Amino acid sequence: MKKTTFTLLFGWLLFLSTHLIAQNSEGRFALKVGDWFEMGLEQNNRDKGITNYLLRYELKKQLQNKNQVYQVSLEHFSKRAKYSSKSYGYDSYYPSFEENKTSPEKKNQYTLELTPLGKLVNYEPFKDNKSSKIELIAIGSSYGSASLYTYSDDTMDSLMVSVITNYLLLPDSSSNRIRKITDQNIPFLIELPDMKLILTDASFPLPNNTIIQGKMEDQINQEIRINMVGSYSESYFTSKQFQTNKDGSFNCPIFLKRPFHLRLTVGKKTLTTFLEPGDTLNLSPIKYLAHQLAPIDNHTKNQEEDISEMKEEHGSHLGRAQYNTMLSTKIDQYLIYSSFDQGHESIITISQKTDKIVNKLIDSYQGKASDACVEYFRRAWNYFLAAERLKIYEGSRRSMGNKLNTNVLTMKDFPVDFFLGVDTLPVLMNPFEWDTSYQIFISEAQRFKQKRIGWPIGELFFQSFNQNYFFSLASLRGYPLYKQIAGAIEMEYTHGAMDNQLIEPYYQDFINNCGDPVLVEPLKKIHEMAIQFGIGRTFPINSFVLQDSSIFDLNKFKGKPICLILLSIISSDMNDFQEIIDKFAPEEVNFIFAITTPFYDVKKILNPIHQKPNVTIIRLADKNIVSEFPIKQTKIFMLDKWFRIVENNAEDPSFHKYKGSISGFEKSLRKTIETKRYSKAEKTAMVKTAGWSFGSILFTVLIGLWIYKSRIRRIKKQEAAKRRIKELEIKAIRSQMNPHFIFNALNSIQSLINGNQFKEANIYLSKFAVLLRGVLNNSEKGKISLSDELQAVELYCQLEQLRFEFKFGISIDPDVNVDLIEIPGMIIQPLAENAVVHGLSGKGELGKLDIQVKRHNGNLCIDVSDNGLGLSPQTKDTLSQKGFGLKLVEERINILNLDGKVATLTVKNNQMAPGTLATLIIPID
């Protein structure tokens, strides 16, 4: 019964405490201080276009009234018109590019306070918010022409932050489609007419907001892979893996922060789709889609297909996600690069015909698929077609040696409108910047324009970094500009400019200008790798993981130069290195061929290379090479005996054939072999460093020695002054003791005369004269012999015997040499005087004084005992009972202790008999 009662009571208390804690911690959102989340808003206005905001909310305070104080920053803002030949817009990720910019643009920030009921009670912008107006660019038919007009300033941003926050606080209703995270009470998806809010990122785990489900009976227990189609795909969407069930069914919940083009692979079959946050793609009821799941790498193209109304099973019940998938799957067969690889006349005809077919296909899904899906594929196709047309034109204008091919196609050989799409595409404000066709088009269009400008003045194909960089600044804006600059900087870092500090300012400018983490973060990693693999640095990798999961250790090759060749599929053949390898003896250099692709045909390797003792061939694991090297092609490192990088991008013999001259590869190799431990510059620097170091050390030692000696002199002066003061103090005390002793002796003589004891007085006076002469002779000495001190004490006691008739005795241990030991003068006499005057004066012949001198633990121990009255028990202050002489002894002992020696005086009653015992201990060793 007691156990049950205790259990119920404990459960009730636990429930009550949990309930109270929950109440105390509750606010509008169940977060801890420091937690944050990001909300993206997309507003689709038919007249004003599409506006996007990205806000970051961070909880700064949890007030006692349960109100929450948030710091809100405007992370991103963009505005664009709907798809048209002219696109008005602005994107804060890609502002006007500023050279020599010292720091990134500061984001506008705001402070707001929310009540638990969802009311905004306090809202203030930061004082240092930027207030400059945003200029929106109207993009015309060419890259350079633009008209500017003002759209917004800090006031407008502040208003939008307030509006978006109020959307977050909307209550659930039948008209509002709101999905919330149960634990935090934060909406992760709000769908309103012409508006959508999406929780894009947070400091806590995010729930999935999109579902792909279905059933494929021929794909039982198969792996499902979902990845994004496009450039920088992993930066936008992390690939996901699932598994089909025993009956072939599957349910794949994923998280999307924005609309994406996705590829779904089930077992050995694949299809693509276009999904938006909140979509549910159900593949089961769509017979058409089930047939569209084609084997990987076996998509067929039928350009003659008649695009008619799709007749799918249960077609009236299909949602936008299904129609998006159908459009995506059908258009895939046309988005095949280099698909027009034929003669230029047939190319023109086929591309024009295909363009009509694809546009008709996209039009047929207008109103069925989502607006974003239709816009995405219309843009993707136009970019794809424009890029393919540029490739056609470029392929006919290959340079031949140092001369241009004169038998080439000119602009007149193509229809008037064939390249119209290249110049009129709305390239600057594409909301789907990750689209591969768009990325390729940007690069191809820039190359096309540069060539058209360069041909008349005899420029060849190759353009330097500076040419590409400044041409991009002059001809591009927005995302294309930043994409081109990022690509140019990456190219420099990954193709041999790792030791070139000239590229560093351009990199810093880009980091300080660009606000898009998708472009910034990969470039930061490339930059970090470029520093690690810079010329002169120690090679940062000691081992490689091979395809068979074994470890290849590079350290075993230390002590001899190494030529490390990272061999890719697109370039080098090992046979191209045969001639150069033969020129070097095995003991001169080691050649390591690291194959970086599983498709390289090792059977092509000539046996002589494979059999050489200084040649090693390894096949690297794919993930290993991707994570450790910024590799785009074959890359050759030259390492000296000490594992330092001599060359980080040596010339590839596969691309250059030399006849009668030494190749750049061979020059780099010989330079590596001849490298010394320290170069002349390094030796000079070392000598300078050593000289400065030695000089600095010597200077420091001299300064330290001077300071040390100065300090020693100062300390000696201070000690001498202290000693002089101590001696003066001792003399002053002795000068006080002598009058005290003389006064007491004269009192004794006077008392004898008054008692008519003239004979005794005469004897006392003569002995007093002898004693006084000895005291005066020793008064100027710091220390006297123990024998002189004891003689003075004996004379004093004999004098006092004439008055008080007591008995006294002095005993000296044999190991005490009284003639060699020196002690302060007149230090024992006050103890004997104190015992006689205060202890034995009333005892008469019964009084007894004993003085014992001995050695103990290297100290001189003097015991002065009497059988007198002893100390009064009413007071703890013994000195108050000892008289003036004893107090002076105490002071002399304290002065003696200044030398570091410990002298002590104790006065106490005898334990076994009446009287007092005074013990004086003086260090003598």
Side-chain angles (χ1 to χ4, degrees):
M1 180 67 182
K2 291 182 179 180
K3 185 176 181 181
T4 303
T5 304
F6 175 77
T7 302
L8 291 174
L9 180 61
F10 178 76
W12 181 80
L13 289 173
L14 182 64
F15 170 78
L16 181 61
S17 61
T18 304
H19 182 66
L20 290 174
I21 291 172
Q23 282 187 335
N24 291 333
S25 63
E26 281 182 356
R28 177 59 183 179
F29 303 126
L31 301 174
K32 303 186 296 294
V33 173
D35 282 349
W36 58 268
F37 61 91
E38 291 183 354
M39 294 295 300
L41 175 140
E42 180 180 308
Q43 187 175 22
N44 195 336
N45 188 301
R46 293 183 179 181
D47 298 327
K48 297 183 179 180
I50 299 175
T51 304
N52 291 92
Y53 274 88
L54 179 64
L55 302 183
R56 179 187 175 99
Y57 292 79
E58 181 177 353
L59 180 59
K60 287 297 184 180
K61 293 181 183 178
Q62 182 83 44
L63 304 181
Q64 291 183 351
N65 60 0
K66 298 182 182 179
N67 286 4
Q68 293 178 324
V69 178
Y70 286 87
Q71 178 178 311
V72 185
S73 58
L74 178 57
E75 296 293 311
H76 185 213
F77 163 73
S78 66
K79 180 178 175 63
R80 62 183 175 84
K82 294 207 171 181
Y83 182 79
S84 63
S85 60
K86 292 186 178 181
S87 182
Y88 299 88
Y90 173 82
D91 194 317
S92 65
Y93 273 167
Y94 322 110
S96 297
F97 199 90
E98 298 179 31
E99 294 186 84
N100 302 317
K101 193 172 184 179
T102 56
S103 61
E105 188 110 1
K106 193 170 184 179
K107 297 178 174 62
N108 282 348
Q109 295 183 326
Y110 308 86
T111 298
L112 55 84
E113 183 178 340
L114 302 179
T115 67
L117 298 178
K119 184 179 179 182
L120 182 60
V121 294
N122 188 20
Y123 177 57
E124 295 179 357
F126 277 29
K127 294 181 179 180
D128 57 347
N129 279 357
K130 60 182 180 181
S131 59
S132 57
K133 296 180 179 180
I134 296 175
E135 295 179 335
L136 301 184
I137 304 165
I139 301 164
S141 60
S142 64
Y143 295 107
S145 64
S147 60
L148 305 178
Y149 67 96
T150 299
Y151 167 74
S152 174
D153 54 16
D154 183 48
T155 304
M156 188 63 184
D157 292 340
S158 180
L159 176 62
M160 285 306 301
V161 171
S162 175
V163 170
I164 294 172
T165 302
N166 280 298
Y167 281 132
L168 289 180
L169 307 176
L170 284 175
D172 296 335
S173 66
S174 57
S175 59
N176 300 331
R177 186 184 175 192
I178 302 176
R179 305 181 193 178
K180 293 185 177 181
I181 305 176
T182 305
D183 294 341
Q184 283 82 21
N185 194 34
I186 297 176
F188 67 87
L189 184 63
I190 301 177
E191 292 184 285
L192 304 170
D194 298 330
M195 186 176 296
K196 180 185 291 186
L197 271 81
I198 303 170
L199 182 63
T200 61
D201 200 1
S203 59
F204 46 83
L206 296 177
N208 296 305
N209 56 14
T210 306
I211 297 175
I212 300 176
Q213 60 188 16
K215 184 176 182 180
M216 298 180 189
E217 297 178 354
D218 60 340
Q219 299 294 322
I220 297 173
N221 294 328
Q222 293 293 316
E223 182 185 45
I224 300 175
R225 297 189 304 277
I226 303 174
N227 61 284
M228 178 183 158
V229 179
S231 302
Y232 304 99
S233 57
E234 287 296 319
S235 298
Y236 291 102
F237 176 81
T238 303
S239 301
K240 305 295 181 184
Q241 292 186 348
F242 299 92
Q243 190 87 12
T244 60
N245 299 319
K246 295 180 179 180
D247 60 350
S249 62
F250 56 89
N251 187 287
C252 307
I254 58 175
F255 173 78
L256 299 179
K257 62 174 64 177
R258 54 187 290 195
F260 286 134
H261 189 192
L262 302 177
R263 175 174 286 106
L264 172 68
T265 303
V266 184
K268 295 184 178 181
K269 292 188 175 183
T270 183
L271 61 73
T272 61
T273 182
F274 185 91
L275 294 181
E276 303 179 46
D279 281 350
T280 298
L281 174 60
N282 190 347
L283 300 178
S284 299
I286 311 175
K287 183 177 181 181
Y288 175 77
L289 282 178
H291 290 295
Q292 283 299 111
L293 273 167
I296 299 175
D297 296 330
N298 193 32
H299 288 293
T300 58
K301 176 179 63 177
N302 183 8
Q303 295 180 341
E304 301 296 332
E305 178 181 359
D306 180 24
I307 305 300
S308 58
E309 186 70 23
M310 297 295 126
K311 295 181 180 180
E312 57 277 339
E313 186 178 348
H314 307 294
S316 58
H317 302 289
L318 296 180
R320 69 178 187 183
Q322 284 81 358
Y323 280 112
N324 289 357
T325 307
M326 291 164 60
L327 175 58
S328 174
T329 305
K330 289 207 58 81
I331 206 170
D332 271 352
Q333 61 185 321
Y334 299 101
L335 295 175
I336 302 174
Y337 295 98
S338 300
S339 56
F340 308 125
D341 192 11
Q342 303 178 35
H344 81 278
E345 293 184 359
S346 58
I347 288 172
I348 296 171
T349 304
I350 294 173
S351 64
Q352 290 175 335
K353 186 176 182 180
T354 306
D355 185 29
K356 293 178 181 179
I357 294 173
V358 172
N359 277 293
K360 187 176 181 181
L361 170 64
I362 295 173
D363 289 340
S364 68
Y365 280 86
Q366 192 78 44
K368 298 178 182 179
S370 68
D371 291 343
C373 178
V374 172
E375 181 180 355
Y376 168 75
F377 283 111
R378 194 181 300 279
R379 286 178 178 269
W381 171 250
N382 286 336
Y383 293 133
F384 167 81
L385 188 59
E388 286 296 295
R389 289 175 173 176
L390 288 174
K391 289 179 181 179
I392 296 168
Y393 187 69
E394 177 186 333
S396 69
R397 303 190 65 87
R398 300 294 184 188
S399 61
M400 302 177 62
N402 292 326
K403 297 180 180 181
L404 292 175
N405 182 10
T406 56
N407 187 21
V408 296
L409 300 176
T410 64
M411 300 292 288
K412 297 179 180 179
D413 296 319
F414 295 91
V416 176
D417 60 347
F418 189 76
F419 294 102
L420 183 61
V422 174
D423 292 324
T424 59
L425 279 179
V427 64
L428 300 190
M429 287 303 297
N430 182 15
F432 314 107
E433 72 279 358
W434 39 263
D435 174 40
T436 303
S437 299
Y438 178 56
Q439 299 270 336
I440 294 175
F441 170 75
I442 293 173
S443 299
E444 291 293 332
Q446 280 296 97
R447 190 178 294 113
F448 176 68
K449 289 189 293 182
Q450 282 181 278
K451 286 183 178 181
R452 281 198 299 185
I453 294 174
W455 283 329
I457 60 175
E459 284 284 345
L460 299 180
F461 173 78
F462 175 77
Q463 299 290 336
S464 68
F465 169 80
N466 286 333
Q467 287 175 306
N468 292 331
Y469 175 80
F470 289 108
F471 187 79
S472 297
L473 285 180
S475 60
L476 293 175
R477 291 177 181 268
Y479 177 82
L481 171 62
Y482 283 84
K483 172 64 177 65
Q484 286 297 100
I485 293 178
I489 295 174
E490 178 182 346
M491 181 71 70
E492 290 297 303
Y493 279 135
T494 56
H495 289 78
M498 295 182 182
D499 62 326
N500 187 359
Q501 292 301 314
L502 295 176
I503 200 69
E504 190 70 16
Y506 298 100
Y507 166 78
Q508 293 298 337
D509 271 353
F510 180 84
I511 297 300
N512 292 334
N513 276 278
C514 186
D516 189 352
V518 175
L519 292 180
V520 169
E521 295 306 320
L523 193 58
K524 285 183 177 179
K525 292 180 180 179
I526 294 292
H527 178 258
E528 183 179 347
M529 287 184 178
I531 294 174
Q532 291 179 351
F533 290 95
I535 290 177
R537 298 179 69 95
T538 300
F539 196 67
I541 299 174
N542 295 321
S543 61
F544 291 112
V545 179
L546 305 185
Q547 277 193 341
D548 59 1
S549 299
S550 62
I551 303 298
F552 181 79
D553 190 3
L554 277 175
N555 288 316
K556 62 184 179 180
F557 295 95
K558 262 189 177 180
K560 188 162 65 171
I562 298 173
C563 177
L564 177 61
I565 305 163
L566 301 169
L567 204 61
S568 71
I569 186 174
I570 63 171
S571 55
S572 298
D573 191 330
M574 287 186 213
N575 300 325
D576 295 321
F577 294 85
Q578 171 73 45
E579 182 180 350
I580 297 177
I581 292 176
D582 290 339
K583 293 182 179 181
F584 294 89
E587 61 273 10
E588 286 185 291
V589 61
N590 280 317
F591 293 90
I592 301 175
F593 289 88
I595 301 174
T596 65
T597 172
F599 305 108
Y600 193 92
D601 188 2
V602 184
K603 295 179 181 179
K604 293 182 178 180
I605 302 173
L606 294 176
N607 288 333
I609 294 181
H610 193 277
Q611 294 174 355
K612 282 186 171 292
N614 61 334
V615 174
T616 304
I617 301 174
I618 58 176
R619 189 184 290 276
L620 302 184
D622 294 342
K623 293 181 180 179
N624 174 271
I625 195 65
V626 170
S627 62
E628 293 182 338
F629 286 99
I631 290 178
K632 299 296 182 183
Q633 60 180 15
T634 291
K635 200 166 193 66
I636 303 173
F637 288 91
M638 301 288 187
L639 312 180
D640 63 17
K641 298 176 183 179
W642 303 274
F643 246 43
R644 296 175 306 185
I645 301 174
V646 179
E647 292 283 353
N648 56 19
N649 194 45
E651 186 183 69
D652 184 354
S654 302
F655 291 145
H656 300 279
K657 303 296 182 180
Y658 295 89
K659 295 181 180 180
S661 61
I662 300 178
S663 68
F665 176 83
E666 185 176 345
K667 289 179 181 178
S668 298
L669 199 52
R670 294 196 181 279
K671 175 184 174 182
T672 303
I673 295 173
E674 295 169 0
T675 300
K676 304 296 182 182
R677 183 68 177 94
Y678 300 106
S679 64
K680 289 184 179 180
E682 289 174 329
K683 288 180 179 178
T684 303
M686 288 178 62
V687 170
K688 288 183 179 179
T689 302
W692 279 105
S693 300
F694 177 76
S696 300
I697 294 172
L698 181 60
F699 179 75
T700 304
V701 169
L702 293 175
I703 293 296
L705 185 61
W706 178 78
I707 294 173
Y708 172 76
K709 289 186 175 181
S710 299
R711 181 173 176 79
I712 292 298
R713 284 196 299 269
R714 186 169 61 253
I715 292 174
K716 286 182 178 180
K717 288 182 180 180
Q718 291 175 351
E719 291 298 324
K722 289 181 180 178
R723 188 175 301 276
R724 180 61 179 164
I725 292 172
K726 183 177 69 173
E727 291 174 354
L728 292 173
E729 288 176 345
I730 291 174
K731 287 182 178 181
I733 291 172
R734 278 210 304 266
S735 67
Q736 294 176 2
M737 292 181 65
N738 291 337
H740 174 72
F741 165 73
I742 294 171
F743 177 77
N744 288 339
L746 292 176
N747 281 339
S748 298
I749 294 172
Q750 185 182 18
S751 64
L752 289 174
I753 294 173
N754 291 336
N756 296 319
Q757 298 176 348
F758 299 106
K759 182 179 180 179
E760 288 81 358
N762 189 39
I763 295 171
Y764 197 114
L765 188 59
S766 62
K767 288 185 177 182
F768 173 72
V770 174
L771 178 61
L772 185 60
R773 186 181 294 112
V775 170
L776 292 176
N777 288 336
N778 296 329
S779 63
E780 293 298 322
K781 297 179 181 179
K783 289 184 179 181
I784 62 174
S785 65
L786 179 58
S787 61
D788 291 341
E789 177 70 10
L790 292 177
Q791 184 181 2
V793 172
E794 183 178 3
L795 285 172
Y796 169 76
C797 291
Q798 290 174 357
L799 288 173
E800 293 292 4
Q801 277 183 324
L802 296 175
R803 286 199 303 162
F804 303 120
E805 297 180 353
F806 66 93
K807 299 177 182 178
F808 80 93
I810 299 175
S811 60
I812 303 172
D813 283 358
D815 59 344
V816 177
N817 191 331
V818 294
D819 294 323
L820 296 179
I821 296 176
E822 291 186 341
I823 62 173
M826 293 293 289
I827 198 169
I828 300 177
Q829 186 272 337
L831 302 180
E833 181 181 351
N834 187 71
V836 172
V837 175
H838 296 287
L840 302 178
S841 59
K843 297 283 289 186
E845 294 181 354
L846 297 178
K848 186 176 182 180
L849 175 65
D850 290 323
I851 300 175
Q852 185 178 5
V853 181
K854 57 186 177 180
R855 296 186 65 160
H856 181 70
N857 293 332
N859 298 320
L860 180 66
C861 183
I862 304 168
D863 291 332
V864 180
S865 65
D866 64 77
N867 62 347
L869 299 176
L871 300 175
S872 174
Q874 279 76 26
T875 177
K876 296 181 180 179
D877 186 4
T878 59
L879 289 179
S880 64
Q881 309 176 54
K882 299 173 187 175
F884 179 72
L886 205 56
K887 292 180 181 179
L888 294 178
V889 173
E890 287 275 1
E891 293 181 11
R892 293 185 72 188
I893 287 175
N894 291 335
I895 294 174
L896 287 174
N897 288 338
L898 291 176
D899 287 334
K901 300 177 180 180
V902 181
T904 60
L905 171 65
T906 58
V907 181
K908 59 184 178 180
N909 289 326
N910 288 322
Q911 295 182 355
M912 305 302 295
T916 306
L917 173 64
T919 302
L920 176 64
I921 297 176
I922 302 174
I924 58 175
D925 290 343

